[in-house]
Amino acid sequence: MMFHRRKNNRNQEKDKQNVSNEHNHSVEPLSGTFNEDIQRIRRTFQKSSDVIIRTFNIGNDESNNAAIIFTDGLADSTAIQNFILESLMVDVKKGQISRNKLIQQVKNSILTVGDITEIRDFESLYTTVLSGNTVILINGSTEAISASTAGWEDRAVSEPATQTVVRGPREGFTENLRTNTALLRRKIKDHNLYCEQKQIGTLTKTNIAVMYIKGIVNDKLVGEVHHRLDKIDIEGILESGYIEELIQDETFTPFPTIFNSERPDVIAACLLEGRVAILVDGTPFVLVVPSLFIQNFQVAEDYYQRSDIGSLLRLLRIVCFIIALFGPSFYIAVTTFHQEMLPTPLLISLAAQREGVPFPAFVEAVLMEIAFEILREAGIRMPRAVGQAVSIVGALVLGQAAVEAGIVSASMVIVVSLTAIANFVFPAYNMAISVRMLRFGMMFFAASFGLYGITVGSLALIMHLNSLRSFGVPYMAPFSPLIPNDLKDSLVRFPRWALLSRPRLINRKNMKRQASPAALKPEPDK
């Protein structure tokens, strides 16, 4: 046993050494010999027909050999032609450049592209080429030039499909990281809005941007975000869900402890509160930390409408949360254990409906819930032209046929349908999924112990919620711990002039975000 452990430890150490050796081998500097470096690059990309290597002479001097390397489809061919090839081959006259200072003259006075960086090793060269930039290699130089020429086709800015509003901006994030950072810059035109970029993924090398407002955000929070991101060691990051799962505080919980949105106005509002946004290249969903439970019931439109309208709609979402979570379980508990709670006419009607049903209420509810979950998933996965039609027609036909066949009662179809509709009211899709999972647990407790089981399940759920943290911040704030000042924007939204301070547990450095309430209150006409 000990031998196997020692052998496994030795194998692990060898694997680490091999990975380290491969990493050190890949970071090999450029030799400065033009033909040798070009041959090595050709061998590396010999199976990649989309990587273009073009050799030429700078100006009319045949001794000034140079080459450009770029990826067709990722780089802008027009920019390469106008700002690189034309500048180096046509605009340069003989005798204008010096052989000794060629690389400096190319960078300082010849190239007309916007962003230029230096490359001194092959690994950086490969990453730069595969990121859409163009690498310029010059004979006799141990460093190459990276010119910013990324120009692939991407989706235009359009209205988000998952978070629509009646009143508010119609723009949403795209899959382009730089477009997303620009959308946030348009909202917050302040030099204290920092954007720090890094790459995660040993193979995908996905660009990640961390954005926050200096002077408002807690510096410890920023440090914790960078610490967790730097600990990630994975081959590829294809969506922000990868990052979310790797940096979240709690793994085994159905509730989302990291908020996400594809609306720039929502992310900008979070940044103004002192939160940190994590943008991932290749996805329109931006992560925000820390996240609170009540945040999943808030939408951008709450702040664009009057406070009374926004508060009413927010309370409606919370009521729908209760219905979606406890609707079927409450029906099971009352009809199975607590019939005395129902009025006599209603009890007689329910008994008549269930007279020919062969299953108990719990089995009846589980069958209907599973059927609706199948229809919901089928409506999402099928093509849009037929997805909605299949889900609607399937629900109608299935419900009516099940009632006529005597498998389920009509009242159970009503309860399950109302529960499914209430589940769609949630603005946060991942919170809706959590409620769908917890609903089955509540139904089991109700079928076992009635209302007492629902009470026990609710207490266990509340204890679990109070134990959660999101980057050190209590998940149930401002209810637990109770922060009276932050209740102004929780269950209801107070008028704009009353929202004087930022959330206390998120930001403790710069609490005030607007003038005093007396200065913002509308003055009555004299």
Side-chain angles (χ1 to χ4, degrees), residues 105-116:
Q105 289 180 331
V106 169
K107 290 190 297 183
N108 298 335
S109 60
I110 298 178
L111 289 180
T112 57
V113 293
D115 186 18
I116 291 177

Side-chain angles (χ1 to χ4, degrees), residues 155-160 169-174 179-180 183 262-264 284:
R155 184 169 60 93
V157 176
S158 59
E159 184 177 1
R170 294 292 191 270
E171 59 185 10
F173 290 120
T174 68
T179 302
N180 297 340
L183 289 173
E262 56 176 333
R263 294 187 60 88

Side-chain angles (χ1 to χ4, degrees), residues 172-325:
F173 290 120
T174 68
E175 287 75 19
N176 192 325
L177 178 64
R178 196 51 63 210
T179 302
N180 297 340
T181 57
L183 289 173
L184 290 176
R185 291 284 185 186
R186 286 181 56 191
K187 299 291 183 184
I188 305 175
K189 303 178 182 66
D190 190 89
H191 66 278
N192 288 316
L193 177 60
Y194 287 9
C195 178
E196 301 178 359
Q197 189 166 320
K198 58 181 63 183
Q199 285 187 345
I200 299 180
T202 56
L203 296 182
T204 61
K205 295 180 175 63
T206 306
N207 292 322
I208 311 292
V210 179
M211 299 190 71
Y212 57 91
I213 302 178
K214 185 68 174 178
I216 295 180
V217 71
N218 189 344
D219 295 333
K220 293 183 178 179
L221 174 61
V222 178
E224 181 65 22
V225 170
H226 282 292
H227 174 68
R228 297 191 186 188
L229 291 176
D230 293 337
K231 286 175 61 179
I232 297 177
D233 186 9
I234 192 172
E235 288 185 344
I237 298 293
L238 302 179
E239 213 275 336
S240 58
Y242 287 50
I243 300 293
E244 178 180 357
E245 192 171 355
L246 291 171
I247 67 173
Q248 62 185 354
D249 291 64
E250 299 289 339
T251 302
F252 302 103
T253 178
F255 296 99
T257 56
I258 295 179
F259 184 73
N260 69 80
S261 176
E262 56 176 333
R263 294 187 60 88
D265 54 339
V266 173
I267 302 301
C270 293
L271 293 175
L272 292 172
E273 287 184 346
R275 291 181 168 93
V276 177
I278 304 173
L279 295 83
V280 181
D281 190 22
T283 176
F285 290 92
V286 176
L287 306 179
V288 175
V289 295
S291 174
L292 304 179
F293 175 78
I294 194 61
Q295 191 176 359
N296 295 283
F297 301 95
Q298 300 171 349
V299 298
E301 198 171 0
D302 292 348
Y303 303 91
Y304 304 148
Q305 303 282 2
R306 296 200 318 266
S307 60
D308 51 353
I309 298 176
S311 300
L312 177 63
L313 296 177
R314 189 176 296 180
L315 288 173
L316 177 64
R317 296 184 206 107
I318 296 174
V319 171
C320 290
F321 170 78
I322 298 173
I323 294 175
L325 183 60

